[in-house]
Amino acid sequence: MKVDVLLGLQWGDEGKGKVVDVLTPHYDVVARFQGGPNAGHTLEFEGQKYVLRSIPSGIFQGDKVNIIGNGVVLDPSLFKAEAEALEASGHPLKERLYISKKAHLILPTHRILDAAYEAAKGASKVGTTGKGIGPTYTDKVSRNGLRVGDILHNFEAKYAAAKARHEQILKSLNYEYDITELEKQWMEGIDYLRQFHLVDSEHTVNNLLKEGKSILCEGAQGTMLDVDFGSYPFVTSSNTICAGACTGLGLGPNKIGDVFGIMKAYCTRVGAGPFPTELFDETGKTIRDLGHEYGAVTGRERRCGWVDLVALRYAIMLNGVTKLILMKSDVLDGFDTVKACVAYKINGEEIDYFPFDINEGVEPVYVELPGWKTDMTKMTSEDEFPEEFNAYISFLEEQLETPIKIVSVGPDRAQTIVRYTEE
Ligand code: GDP
Ligand code: IMO
Ligand code: MG
């Protein structure tokens, strides 16, 4: 058996949570491989809306096994709040959620350091989610981190040493903070975590595969936020690309099957950093309003712009995407025409590849296509798609050289159309 991977191709918030939930009935297991509570994955069904941050989006469909892999960074207090809310809403998870002992812990001081580093950067701040993601991954790579498995032996001493080290850094930054409440909740989170299956998830995942179980790996963030290939330094601190599923779950590359790449019919970005197709006009505002483009957790306004096929081609290449999933085309229902960026112009020269630096002087070259002027949210099969919409899909497939297999036409689980195109 191989695993399938589902990941974002843009700057996050493409709709990963929704589609993982939709696809879960086809799998036995759903596994998160990177990121942490910087993610906000929204699911809607039966009139209810849920936002998941650290818990995989396979938690609502039957009694599927869900795994938090070693590549994830976990904040015990946020995890406790999320898990307790799910339990209270009738979705017990203790028996079917497995957490890697090798996943790194986000400490209260990591969160404070995140804020302190952002403050120190001033105008060039990244606009992080403030969840301590960067400092936690920094400690992992610099071999100073604490892992979930550490809570099982001599934890207090390890925590005290890590905290003391962080306090020294905060002192050198002259950063004022009060850790009391944060730390109290965090310690309660640590106790709560002990009730879960804490495992060597690389063995769990590979044994499940050997038993013939099917696994869907759920990415967080998006390819343009990848620490190596995204718009550095305005990125997150993990590898969001498909390779992250190998390192974040302990999977050999030959175990990767299909790679589902999710894209919106337009583009959004939250936080700072370059965004070549960003719209500062009424059109951008209209997309934000119609698409409810506000952070799932923070409520931050998302920046909006036209779809960027140069960046998408790059993302498809990096991830080895085999199937595309097109989200939120319904948001563009009312537009007379829609635009897609097919190339960049830099210093007067047109290029169709993603360059080293998109921070300055990138001018998008657009193709304008007829809008479909139809309420897509009511569609139940691809046979109902208007001609202009089919032409739009064919255009994207041709430009991206990858088939679009699923079209999402609304936030609800039911508003999802699978296309039966030939392989
Ligand atoms: P994720 O982080 O990739 O899981 O995405 P988010 O949950 O942060 O953001 C996606 C938002 O779009 C959520 O509010 C979803 O409910 C919503 N959504 C998902 N698919 C569609 C769609 O096809 N149409 C519309 N209008 N909304 C969608
Ligand atoms: P999901 O999984 C959108 C962005 C932040 C910031 C940058 C670094 O819901 O798609 P971090 O806190 O990770 O150090 O912030 O990355 N960012 C996201 N943007 N969706 C996300 O997750 C994001 N997670 C981080 O806004 O620009
Ligand atoms: Mg999100």
Side-chain angles (χ1 to χ4, degrees), residues 12-18 39-44 49 218 221 262 264 266 290-296 302 326-331 377 407-412 415:
D13 302 328
E14 295 90 350
K16 298 174 289 293
K18 171 189 161 162
H41 294 179
T42 315
L43 292 79
E44 287 191 39
K49 179 171 165 173
E218 173 180 5
Q221 291 79 55
I262 297 210
K264 286 180 188 172
Y266 49 93
L290 294 175
H292 305 292
E293 293 297 353
Y294 298 90
R302 293 178 185 152
L326 179 66
M327 311 297 291
K328 299 190 93 160
S329 41
D330 54 291
V331 172
T377 62
V407 177
S408 169
V409 292
D412 195 274
Q415 292 170 302

Side-chain angles (χ1 to χ4, degrees), residues 339-383:
K339 286 188 189 175
C341 166
V342 291
Y344 293 158
K345 217 177 225 179
I346 300 177
N347 296 329
E349 193 196 336
E350 200 167 301
I351 59 165
D352 62 0
Y353 61 89
F354 197 77
F356 173 73
D357 187 1
I358 58 161
N359 280 293
E360 263 169 52
V362 177
E363 196 191 318
V365 178
Y366 287 115
V367 164
E368 197 160 357
L369 298 128
W372 40 93
K373 306 283 274 182
T374 308
D375 181 0
M376 296 296 291
T377 62
K378 302 283 184 304
M379 301 273 150
T380 55
S381 108
E382 64 172 323
D383 301 336

Side-chain angles (χ1 to χ4, degrees), residues 32 81 102 132 163 264 302 346 388-389 400:
R32 272 276 302 266
K102 296 188 178 71
K163 181 182 168 187
K264 286 180 188 172
R302 293 178 185 152
I346 300 177
E388 293 81 0
F389 189 72
L400 300 173

Side-chain angles (χ1 to χ4, degrees), residues 84-118:
E84 283 182 339
L86 284 176
E87 299 251 353
S89 65
H91 299 96
L93 49 143
K94 283 199 186 106
E95 287 314 313
R96 56 205 179 93
L97 181 64
Y98 293 77
I99 303 173
S100 170
K101 284 196 237 171
K102 296 188 178 71
H104 277 246
L105 290 170
I106 302 176
L107 272 52
T109 36
H110 281 134
R111 268 215 248 179
I112 299 169
L113 280 168
D114 195 354
Y117 289 140
E118 281 285 88

Side-chain angles (χ1 to χ4, degrees), residues 259-272:
V259 181
F260 297 106
I262 297 210
M263 56 179 279
K264 286 180 188 172
Y266 49 93
C267 218
T268 63
R269 169 159 211 172
V270 52

